[in-house]
Amino acid sequence: MGKCDENGSGMGEAMQLAAAKQQYAEHMDSLRAEGLLDDQFSELQQLQDESSPDFVEEVVLLFIQDSGRIIKNLTESLEQKPVNFKKVDAHVHQFKGSSSSIGAQRVKAVCIKLRMCCNRQDQLGCLFALEHVTREFEVIKGKLQTMLELEKQIVALGGTPPPFTDKL
Amino acid sequence: MRRRANQNWSQSCQMSDKSGAKLKLLQGRAGGGSDYSSPCISNGSGDSRSTRTVPLKGARGVYISKKKTMHHHHSSGAAGAGGKGGGGRERGGNPSGRRLGRQWWRDSGNSYLTKPSSSSAAAKGGSASSSSATTTSVWFEHWHTKLFILWVFFMALVSLSVYLQMNAEMLVRRRDTLKTMCEGRARMLENQFLASMNHVRALTALFTTLHISKQIAMFNQETFSQYAESTAFERPLMSGVAYADRVLHEDRESFEMSHGWTIKEMFSKEKQQVFEEYAPATMSQDTVSYLTSLDMMSGQEDRENILRARASGKGALTNPFRLLESKHLGVVFTFAVYSIHLPPDATPDERVKATAGYLGGAFDVETLVENLLHGFPGSEMIAVNVYDITNELCPLVMYGHTNVSKSENTYVSSLDFGDPQRKHEMRCRYNEDALPPWTAISTSVGIFVIGFLVGHMLHASRNRIDKVEENCRMFKELKVLADEASVAKSQFLATVSHEIRTPMNGVLGMLQMLMDTRLDATQQDYARTAQASGKALITLINEVLDQAKIESGRLELEAVPFDLCAILDDVLSLFSGKSRDEGIELAVYISEKVPSILIGDPGRFRQIIINLVGNSIKFTERGHIFVCVHLSEDMEMVMEGSDYSGDDDDYSDWEVDGPGCVPLDMKCNQFNTLSGYETADDRNSWETFELLLAQEQHSYNPDHDDHHWNFSDGNDVVNLVVSVEDTGVGIPLHVQERVFTPFMQADSSTSRTYGGTGIGLSISKCLVELMSGKMRFVSRPKIGSTFTFTAQFQQMHDSVHESMLRNTNSVLQVRPLPTCFQGMQALVVDGRPVRSEVTRHHLRRLGVQVMLILSLSQSECSAAAFHSTVGGGIDMILVDKDAWGAGTGIRFPHMLCQSASEHLRQRNKYFASSVGLSHGFIAARLPKMMLVATSMTDNEHKLARENGFTDSVVIKPLRASMLSACLQQALGVWNRRDQGRELREGSRSLHKLLSGKRVLVVDDNPVNRRVAEGALLKYGAQVECVNSGRAAIVKLKPPHNFDACFMDVQMPEMDGFEATEIIRKAEMEASECMSGGILTKYHPVRIPILAMTADVIQATQAECLLCGMDGYVAKPFEEQQLYNAVAHFFEAGYV
């Protein structure tokens, strides 16, 4: 029985692992396909090795945390009257830098838009763009969190997540 | 003796003395009849002493004063406008003048009134015209209408004054003439009169002398008559002279006795009654012989005259009266003959006593003066009257047929007939009224008419201008309204679209998140469907929003670098599924001269291409869709060139070759286009395409450097011509003109059949126009459409490296094409030149050299065989499936093998004799064979494999990435692996460079910082991080033990450049301190600082170097670039 159980659970674990891996791969594929993440993210993954096993997770969490802060700052800055566009620009620049570092290219693209609005001193445009940025950020945030979840599942099931590769 | 003709008249004269006014009235009414012209005879008495001639003093006449005329007019009740006429107007002329004046006024008034414009109403004093009451009130307020009225009045005044002046001048002239004529007559009459009188005086003197010497008997009737007759010429105005003796009553009988007749009364010719004395005429001229024996004192005038003459001793003139017998009007001149010599101061009594007789002469004024005056020129023009005005109140007519009353137009000239007791005057006037002054009238009317017309013209034109301006203003207002409405509409659309888009995005996002959760297959399917629908809706809304944005002019284009090829590849891949399903060939060709990276709006460009290609796909069921990009200069040149070569040639080619071609081709409707179907625009047919290629080749030739770089010399503007050609159903002719109208489709059935909103083309056109280009199309129903547009982009500066851009720009972050095919050679076998060029284009992008085989001719085939086998160098052969018709390409390897074996046999006897030259032998030595096809059925796959296409089948549309993947698969070149190897090598060397190095990372962004740290750690560096420029300065204050520093450029508070400058300054100071020679190799005073930047365009190397930095790396790190940058200074000196 126990054996059976073990076997069953072993089988189940293996299947679960395979399923989790499959799901992880699909997830990463969709991230890639929808243009949410670009090569930079795989570069990040390559940076993760034995010396820094949680590098990706660390960076992702840092990104999520920092971005939340920046978005808050941005929102506050844009609600001020008059708007200090220089300050906004600095925030956007930061946001752009971090999103580009993590490979969140859609966030980055919208950041560029926001920055253009900022250069034009178009407050309304900025607000719209910020809304867009926030939305994109929420999407990527969700995706990244899902990814981390899946990774954790895989690790918990005793596997290693497959590397993020570019499918031709 | 003469007596008065009518006693009654003398009474009436006395009456008239008392009431002059009444007389004057009578006189005014008196007609031309001279019989009534002397209603009054005034008695005059006095000495007839004045025997001297009256000196001629020229014109002594005067005109009657104007005042009197005025009065006269007034009294005759003709007051009014005529009175205005200044400067003595003729009485006769005046009414006519007035009439004319009135006529003129009415005329002008008429012309004024008949004018249809409202100004006539205005002229009537602003009384509103019934027809245009509203406009009149408006127009009357216009200054120019007032001005016009003023002008008309002014012109009326001017013409009136001209008229008056001319009239006055004419009158003056007329009067001068009258004056001259009158004076001349008067003086002549006076002279003749005086001459006659003088002769009578001389006769008197003779008689007196005879009386004194008592020799009067010398004269009897006969001698006197003879004498008088012979001297009659001396008395031109006298009808005759007679001598009368003074006979006292006591002598009467003796006198009668001696003469043998009795003294008779003058009028009755009866015996004279008894009087105190008599004056019977004894001698008379024959002309007046009837006077003999008549008592001269029996006539009233004669008697008075005799009495006056003898008392004064001078000649005396009678009043004018009717002479005896002739009954002509005349005067009698009487002289007294004295019997003794009297002293000059003798008293009248002495004179009376001394009187012996009387000598008298009759002036027959009526006939003789008439004769005299008729001799004058122009006598018919004027009427001349001579008056005796001794009694001023009652002038007596002496001569004249018509009564000439004293008036302003009468000229009066005084006469002196030698009797101081009597006064005479001559009155002249024109017989006819002055003609109406036609010249003056026509001149003034002309002036007025001209002035009026000029005024009217100006006024009318001014009115017209006003009207036009008013209209223009109205149109402008309407336009503004329309524009506002349009903008409002667009804004509404924009707002609404945006409002829909925001929640839609939410819905889509949620759906996406829902799909990320664990769903079973059905749920997943539902969610996917919902998402697809939502995406479709979003697309539609985006289109509407675009349209609205474009219409309200709020669409702005980005200007970012992008990869044109990548975008086109992308679009192609988007439609590849559809095109494969339908078996449509989809191809892209980009001229090599088009720079790979352009600056513009990639999103919008993509949108245009997607619209056009999507449209084409929608309407195309067979044939091809061909997207072609050229430089517009080339296109222009080729188009011009083809024009130069002459259309006639082209047409004749068509005509001559057309019928001949069909049997040759063996297939009907074969055209030299991509797929062989006819296209609407032959721009992409081989004929043009070849020229274009030649043109591009020519100018792309590296030898012609100037040509190659000509666009980068200028302002870096690249003009592209993009054409999208399809062989679809085409656009019906009747809708072609509204193809670019928003929401317009060919007809309502179109949207049913093909779907779509019809907004895409309109948006595309607007977008193209925003890119300073133009879009046009050629379409032929049932044949196809070709949409062509031009667009303007900027070119990248040469200073910016392409790979750098690719790394930093997200838009450009497409996977770079693998480089593993560089230098390879390929053979492309295709019967369609255009298609083969497309294949060549894609291969060339991968760095593959291409040879083309277009026909199956022996020579080409064998050449191909040679090159592909023995000649070597050919790495692959690409054969189009439909090279010479559907499916013909599949057979190619077989033919190639045959031709190759033949070729080899001919060349080499060994091979020829050898049995080893089997099919398989050749096939094994052939390069990789690849079939290029639009679609493949399983059967065809099998067939292809059998025929030797063992390696790969490339499914069109060709794309660089897809092609490279296929090639990699076929050739076994794994680029990625190669790259990985390189990378590993790179990272190894980087590891070598960086391991153990102490590196400071300066970045304010925690994520970036962490990533950079991670990357550097990976290469073995010891990394320390700070988050601001200030912290970096502290850390890098010499002496320190860092080997390198990566500094973010853009940081709050203090940016990278500033921090670097401060660090460099500190280093300088430190080196000065250590100038004693303590400087060691291991403690470099100058730490390498590398800028980290996300924006390569902004921070160029020059700028970095200027601030004391040693180089720059793009963020995020890319190995190769990092290696390059780091190696630059680590390899140089520091190990």
Side-chain angles (χ1 to χ4, degrees):
Chain A
M1 284 287 281
K3 246 186 175 179
C4 264
D5 280 346
E6 265 182 43
N7 274 346
S9 69
M11 282 294 284
E13 267 180 21
M15 275 174 72
Q16 271 178 9
L17 180 64
K21 274 195 172 179
Q22 175 68 29
Q23 203 178 347
Y24 180 81
E26 272 179 13
H27 184 70
M28 295 315 278
D29 275 357
S30 76
L31 277 178
R32 177 78 182 166
E34 285 163 31
L36 287 168
L37 289 180
D38 62 13
D39 287 349
Q40 179 58 29
F41 192 76
S42 41
E43 302 276 344
L44 278 185
Q45 283 179 320
Q46 281 173 19
L47 291 180
Q48 178 168 316
D49 54 13
E50 303 77 40
S51 60
S52 53
D54 297 326
F55 179 73
V56 172
E57 189 186 347
E58 196 184 329
V59 171
V60 165
L61 290 177
L62 199 58
F63 169 72
I64 290 171
Q65 181 195 340
D66 191 51
S67 302
R69 178 185 62 84
I70 292 173
I71 285 176
K72 205 176 130 218
N73 285 345
L74 271 174
T75 317
E76 278 169 10
S77 303
L78 278 173
E79 275 164 6
Q80 275 174 7
K81 274 187 186 167
V83 179
N84 184 351
F85 283 104
K86 259 193 183 155
K87 210 167 155 191
V88 174
D89 189 61
H91 289 312
V92 179
H93 176 73
Q94 280 214 348
F95 201 6
K96 198 187 109 193
S98 45
S99 54
S100 137
S101 280
I102 204 162
Q105 61 175 359
R106 263 166 62 170
V107 176
K108 190 184 150 193
V110 190
C111 275
I112 292 169
K113 233 185 214 172
L114 174 53
R115 214 168 166 192
M116 279 167 75
C117 289
C118 192
N119 288 340
R120 280 204 306 267
Q121 309 232 323
D122 173 6
Q123 193 187 354
L124 202 65
C126 278
L127 282 170
F128 279 126
L130 177 62
E131 189 229 35
H132 199 172
V133 167
T134 315
R135 209 162 54 230
E136 286 292 347
F137 172 66
E138 289 300 330
V139 170
I140 190 78
K141 182 177 153 191
K143 296 276 180 185
L144 288 173
Q145 278 169 343
T146 314
M147 182 199 79
L148 291 179
E149 284 284 313
L150 288 169
E151 262 180 40
K152 268 183 194 154
Q153 272 183 26
I154 293 169
V155 171
L157 289 167
T160 50
F164 180 87
T165 47
D166 173 30
K167 262 193 180 174
L168 254 175
Chain B
M1 297 299 266
R2 292 172 200 180
R3 303 201 67 164
R4 248 202 72 167
N6 203 335
Q7 201 73 33
N8 294 340
W9 287 17
S10 118
Q11 283 166 1
S12 80
C13 184
Q14 274 152 15
M15 275 169 67
S16 75
D17 278 343
K18 289 163 196 164
S19 56
K22 199 177 173 187
L23 231 174
K24 212 167 246 169
L25 264 172
L26 273 168
Q27 196 178 3
R29 281 179 201 149
S34 58
D35 290 346
Y36 307 96
S37 62
S38 48
C40 172
I41 300 162
S42 60
N43 295 323
S45 66
D47 303 322
S48 53
R49 282 180 297 177
S50 167
T51 51
R52 61 188 166 87
T53 49
V54 179
L56 284 168
K57 289 179 200 162
R60 273 166 289 157
V62 285
Y63 278 106
I64 305 305
S65 75
K66 174 181 144 196
K67 232 175 198 173
K68 208 168 175 184
T69 319
M70 289 286 284
H71 176 73
H72 184 85
H73 280 297
H74 192 72
S75 63
S76 63
K84 276 183 198 168
R89 195 179 275 165
E90 292 179 51
R91 192 190 164 195
N94 196 24
S96 79
R98 200 168 58 217
R99 192 182 65 240
L100 272 168
R102 202 172 276 158
Q103 186 69 45
W104 162 80
W105 182 247
R106 209 169 58 226
D107 282 352
S108 65
N110 275 343
S111 63
Y112 205 59
L113 285 169
T114 47
K115 228 155 46 69
S117 84
S118 61
S119 57
S120 66
K124 280 199 283 185
S127 62
S129 148
S130 61
S131 61
S132 53
T134 49
T135 46
T136 305
S137 59
V138 175
W139 288 7
F140 188 61
E141 283 161 17
H142 289 324
W143 57 270
H144 47 84
T145 306
K146 289 175 186 166
L147 198 69
F148 174 59
I149 293 161
L150 279 177
W151 169 254
V152 168
F153 277 122
F154 173 70
M155 283 317 292
L157 283 178
V158 166
S159 57
L160 190 65
S161 68
V162 165
Y163 167 74
L164 290 178
Q165 200 176 339
M166 287 181 75
N167 201 18
E169 274 174 16
M170 222 184 70
L171 282 178
V172 166
R173 247 196 336 272
R174 197 173 149 89
R175 266 193 226 187
D176 282 351
T177 318
L178 185 65
K179 180 178 154 190
T180 319
M181 287 166 85
C182 200
E183 282 292 333
R185 278 165 175 74
R187 296 290 80 79
M188 174 60 84
L189 185 65
E190 205 174 66
N191 284 348
Q192 301 257 342
F193 214 91
L194 285 174
S196 309
M197 272 164 60
N198 283 346
H199 192 260
V200 175
R201 247 164 71 181
L203 203 61
T204 312
L206 176 68
F207 270 68
T208 305
T209 313
L210 289 176
H211 267 291
I212 290 170
S213 59
K214 305 291 183 199
Q215 288 173 326
I216 190 69
M218 272 173 71
F219 271 110
N220 56 18
Q221 169 65 30
E222 279 157 57
T223 51
F224 182 81
S225 136
Q226 267 175 13
Y227 177 77
E229 206 63 49
S230 59
T231 55
F233 70 93
E234 293 267 25
R235 304 177 300 273
L237 293 183
M238 283 194 173
S239 53
V241 286
Y243 179 76
D245 277 329
R246 185 188 182 217
V247 178
L248 297 172
H249 186 67
E250 56 259 34
D251 301 329
R252 180 175 172 177
E253 265 178 66
S254 61
F255 179 79
E256 283 180 345
M257 288 282 288
S258 66
H259 281 87
W261 37 263
T262 53
I263 297 168
K264 295 178 185 105
E265 206 268 337
M266 192 186 272
F267 299 104
S268 57
K269 306 263 173 66
E270 297 294 314
K271 191 174 182 269
Q272 178 66 302
Q273 291 163 314
V274 177
F275 285 101
E276 198 178 324
E277 60 176 320
Y278 313 94
T282 50
M283 289 177 281
S284 61
Q285 205 180 331
D286 285 347
T287 47
V288 289
S289 55
Y290 56 85
L291 286 177
T292 308
S293 81
L294 294 183
D295 183 7
M296 285 300 145
M297 288 178 102
S298 59
Q300 173 75 21
E301 284 86 10
D302 294 308
R303 183 187 168 82
E304 278 170 11
N305 221 30
I306 286 165
L307 292 179
R308 201 154 56 88
R310 74 181 184 195
S312 65
K314 290 172 182 168
L317 274 174
T318 60
N319 281 331
F321 66 100
R322 296 273 150 202
L323 294 176
L324 281 175
E325 298 296 325
S326 68
K327 295 293 175 197
H328 285 165
L329 202 60
V331 287
V332 171
F333 181 67
T334 313
F335 258 106
V337 175
Y338 299 107
S339 55
I340 55 167
H341 186 77
L342 283 171
D345 53 350
T347 58
D349 281 346
E350 286 171 354
R351 289 180 186 277
V352 172
K353 265 181 201 164
T355 304
Y358 317 99
L359 199 59
F363 286 96
D364 188 347
V365 177
E366 199 165 336
T367 51
L368 294 178
V369 173
E370 180 122 357
N371 288 343
L372 174 72
L373 295 181
H374 266 269
F376 277 94
S379 55
E380 68 278 4
M381 274 168 64
I382 54 169
V384 179
N385 277 19
V386 179
Y387 286 88
D388 182 326
I389 52 156
T390 312
N391 182 358
E392 291 231 7
L393 293 173
C394 180
L396 299 173
V397 175
M398 204 161 116
Y399 163 76
H401 302 289
T402 53
N403 190 18
V404 178
S405 59
K406 278 187 173 182
S407 63
E408 58 176 303
N409 52 351
T410 313
Y411 184 78
V412 179
S413 183
S414 64
L415 291 168
D416 185 358
F417 288 152
D419 183 355
Q421 299 273 311
R422 299 229 162 245
K423 285 179 191 157
H424 296 89
E425 63 180 22
M426 180 181 271
R427 294 179 186 174
C428 303
R429 68 163 172 82
Y430 283 102
N431 269 333
E432 288 161 11
D433 287 347
L435 283 169
W438 290 120
T439 328
I441 290 167
S442 57
T443 307
S444 57
V445 166
I447 289 174
F448 178 76
V449 166
I450 288 169
F452 178 83
L453 287 179
V454 166
H456 182 66
M457 241 161 61
L458 292 176
H459 179 244
S461 58
R462 185 62 231 182
N463 269 346
R464 169 68 52 186
I465 290 170
D466 272 5
K467 228 182 203 170
V468 169
E469 275 174 352
E470 173 69 15
N471 284 350
C472 188
R473 196 183 54 75
M474 270 165 59
F475 290 149
K476 270 182 190 159
E477 274 172 13
L478 286 176
K479 187 185 173 292
V480 166
L481 282 179
D483 283 352
E484 275 169 6
S486 169
V487 166
K489 184 201 82 179
S490 299
Q491 274 175 351
F492 169 76
L493 269 179
T495 317
V496 167
S497 307
H498 193 268
E499 292 303 316
I500 297 172
R501 209 157 59 140
T502 312
M504 259 328 276
N505 274 326
V507 170
L508 285 179
M510 286 301 123
L511 275 172
Q512 186 61 49
M513 282 160 93
L514 182 69
M515 281 161 73
D516 290 341
T517 58
R518 287 166 194 240
L519 297 174
D520 64 30
T522 329
Q523 287 169 331
Q524 191 82 27
D525 184 48
Y526 291 164
R528 203 163 277 148
T529 313
Q531 200 187 26
S533 316
K535 273 181 180 163
L537 182 56
I538 281 279
T539 315
L540 174 62
I541 288 168
N542 281 346
E543 277 185 348
V544 172
L545 186 58
D546 278 349
Q547 180 72 32
K549 265 186 186 167
I550 290 165
E551 275 177 9
S552 61
R554 287 200 311 197
L555 189 82
E556 283 169 23
L557 290 184
E558 282 184 331
V560 297
F562 69 96
D563 188 337
L564 184 71
C565 301
I567 285 184
L568 288 177
D569 278 355
D570 217 25
V571 175
L572 240 60
S573 69
L574 206 68
F575 292 107
S576 58
K578 219 170 169 184
S579 73
R580 271 176 209 160
D581 294 346
E582 308 240 343
I584 301 164
E585 274 202 68
L586 195 55
V588 168
Y589 177 85
I590 301 169
S591 160
E592 282 178 52
K593 279 172 76 185
V594 176
S596 59
I597 293 188
L598 295 166
I599 299 177
D601 194 327
R604 296 303 177 183
F605 183 76
R606 199 181 132 101
Q607 193 179 353
I608 298 169
I609 296 287
I610 287 181
N611 270 331
L612 293 180
V613 175
N615 225 25
S616 292
I617 287 263
K618 221 187 279 176
F619 296 108
T620 305
E621 284 150 1
R622 60 185 176 46
H624 67 264
I625 292 158
F626 186 22
V627 183
C628 211
V629 184
H630 294 281
L631 287 183
S632 69
E633 298 104 81
D634 289 336
M635 187 58 93
E636 275 164 25
M637 238 182 274
V638 166
M639 287 305 168
E640 275 169 27
S642 67
D643 284 348
Y644 273 125
S645 71
D647 287 346
D648 293 8
D649 288 1
D650 287 354
Y651 287 127
S652 63
D653 277 357
W654 269 106
E655 281 161 16
V656 173
D657 290 355
C661 264
V662 175
L664 270 179
D665 261 336
M666 296 303 287
K667 270 135 196 135
C668 53
N669 292 329
Q670 287 292 301
F671 290 86
N672 231 336
T673 57
L674 187 76
S675 65
Y677 284 97
E678 189 182 2
T679 53
D681 191 355
D682 61 353
R683 176 187 295 253
N684 287 330
S685 69
W686 176 241
E687 287 79 15
T688 319
F689 206 75
E690 193 177 20
L691 287 170
L692 212 50
L693 284 176
Q695 169 72 29
E696 281 159 11
Q697 286 295 319
H698 171 69
S699 49
Y700 196 64
N701 193 335
D703 294 340
H704 297 76
D705 270 352
D706 48 343
H707 273 292
H708 183 202
W709 297 112
N710 61 355
F711 46 68
S712 58
D713 288 344
N715 47 3
D716 296 340
V717 169
V718 182
N719 282 303
L720 297 184
V721 180
V722 183
S723 64
V724 177
E725 172 188 283
D726 69 54
T727 56
V729 293
I731 303 166
L733 292 173
H734 65 278
V735 285
Q736 285 198 0
E737 59 196 30
R738 50 193 169 95
V739 155
F740 292 123
T741 319
F743 307 106
M744 191 63 76
Q745 284 188 329
D747 51 59
S748 52
S749 67
T750 310
S751 54
R752 268 205 305 279
T753 321
Y754 301 103
T757 53
I759 202 175
L761 281 178
S762 143
I763 293 175
S764 301
K765 186 171 192 284
C766 292
L767 288 175
V768 164
E769 274 157 14
L770 280 175
M771 292 177 183
S772 16
K774 273 178 191 159
M775 183 179 271
R776 57 178 202 88
F777 71 94
V778 179
S779 183
R780 285 157 69 192
K782 305 251 155 69
I783 287 172
S785 320
T786 304
F787 282 81
T788 311
F789 69 89
T790 56
Q792 210 175 60
F793 295 102
Q794 299 283 312
Q795 203 198 356
M796 281 304 287
H797 270 286
D798 297 331
S799 55
V800 182
H801 206 263
E802 190 182 322
S803 65
M804 194 85 79
L805 264 174
R806 285 193 187 279
N807 286 323
T808 52
N809 193 308
S810 65
V811 189
L812 289 174
Q813 248 175 18
V814 285
R815 186 142 210 92
L817 292 172
T819 50
C820 54
F821 307 108
Q822 296 278 0
M824 286 189 176
Q825 290 200 9
L827 198 63
V828 171
V829 182
D830 197 341
R832 306 226 155 272
V834 179
R835 191 161 54 191
S836 64
E837 280 300 334
V838 172
T839 315
R840 169 148 66 176
H841 156 71
H842 286 287
L843 285 170
R844 204 183 273 154
R845 281 173 66 192
L846 296 171
V848 180
Q849 304 271 315
V850 179
M851 278 175 63
L852 295 180
I853 288 185
L854 295 175
S855 73
L856 274 178
S857 71
Q858 189 61 38
S859 58
E860 284 206 39
C861 228
S862 61
F866 171 73
H867 281 298
S868 52
T869 53
V870 192
I874 298 285
D875 295 295
M876 56 197 119
I877 297 176
L878 289 100
V879 186
D880 199 280
K881 192 186 96 181
D882 305 325
W884 300 279
T888 47
I890 301 177
R891 305 280 304 162
F892 180 73
H894 186 67
M895 295 188 285
L896 188 66
C897 284
Q898 278 184 344
S899 118
S901 57
E902 260 172 49
H903 183 78
L904 289 174
R905 259 189 219 108
Q906 279 167 13
R907 271 178 67 92
N908 198 308
K909 283 190 179 160
Y910 167 74
F911 279 124
S913 61
S914 167
V915 237
L917 199 68
S918 67
H919 200 280
F921 174 84
I922 302 280
R925 268 147 195 82
L926 280 176
K928 300 288 179 190
M929 299 291 286
M930 277 175 275
L931 192 66
V932 184
T934 312
S935 57
M936 292 288 277
T937 58
D938 287 345
N939 251 344
E940 282 172 330
H941 266 297
K942 220 169 111 190
L943 198 64
R945 215 166 288 132
E946 281 167 7
N947 270 286
F949 287 108
T950 46
D951 303 303
S952 184
V953 174
V954 183
I955 302 293
K956 283 190 269 196
L958 293 180
R959 282 179 296 142
S961 56
M962 191 261 306
L963 191 61
S964 79
C966 287
L967 291 185
Q968 278 171 355
Q969 191 195 344
L971 297 173
V973 187
W974 289 104
N975 195 55
R976 185 151 185 90
R977 212 174 291 155
D978 290 357
Q979 267 189 343
R981 208 179 302 137
E982 277 169 26
L983 273 176
R984 270 195 292 281
E985 278 166 15
S987 63
R988 259 204 296 281
S989 50
L990 204 54
H991 202 269
K992 214 161 68 192
L993 277 176
L994 286 175
S995 68
K997 295 284 191 292
R998 291 183 55 82
V999 179
L1000 183 68
V1001 172
V1002 189
D1003 198 327
D1004 62 311
N1005 190 322
V1007 181
N1008 287 358
R1009 207 160 58 219
R1010 183 68 188 89
V1011 172
E1013 187 190 0
L1016 290 171
L1017 275 175
K1018 197 184 166 199
Y1019 304 127
Q1022 297 179 32
V1023 186
E1024 200 166 322
C1025 296
V1026 290
N1027 63 354
S1028 73
R1030 283 183 204 291
I1033 294 165
V1034 173
K1035 283 275 179 196
L1036 291 177
K1037 197 177 162 77
H1040 57 78
N1041 55 359
F1042 288 106
D1043 295 304
C1045 172
F1046 289 86
M1047 176 101 67
D1048 186 25
V1049 170
Q1050 198 175 6
M1051 287 183 290
E1053 289 177 46
M1054 183 186 287
D1055 68 14
F1057 297 135
E1058 202 182 335
T1060 308
E1061 272 171 37
I1062 293 169
I1063 290 164
R1064 292 297 180 223
K1065 213 179 270 172
E1067 284 174 345
M1068 287 287 283
E1069 282 163 12
S1071 76
E1072 273 165 23
C1073 288
M1074 291 187 281
S1075 56
I1078 321 161
L1079 180 70
T1080 63
K1081 228 182 168 182
Y1082 304 101
H1083 289 281
V1085 171
R1086 190 187 158 89
I1087 182 170
I1089 300 180
L1090 288 165
M1092 291 192 293
T1093 173
D1095 217 340
V1096 245
I1097 310 166
Q1098 267 180 9
T1100 57
Q1101 186 132 18
E1103 207 178 331
C1104 292
L1105 294 179
L1106 208 67
C1107 311
M1109 289 184 171
D1110 298 276
Y1112 67 105
V1113 286
K1115 261 195 313 191
F1117 290 153
E1118 198 251 328
E1119 269 192 16
Q1120 191 59 39
Q1121 206 215 337
L1122 183 64
Y1123 176 81
N1124 287 342
V1126 173
H1128 182 70
F1129 54 85
F1130 276 140
E1131 279 181 348
Y1134 324 111
V1135 182

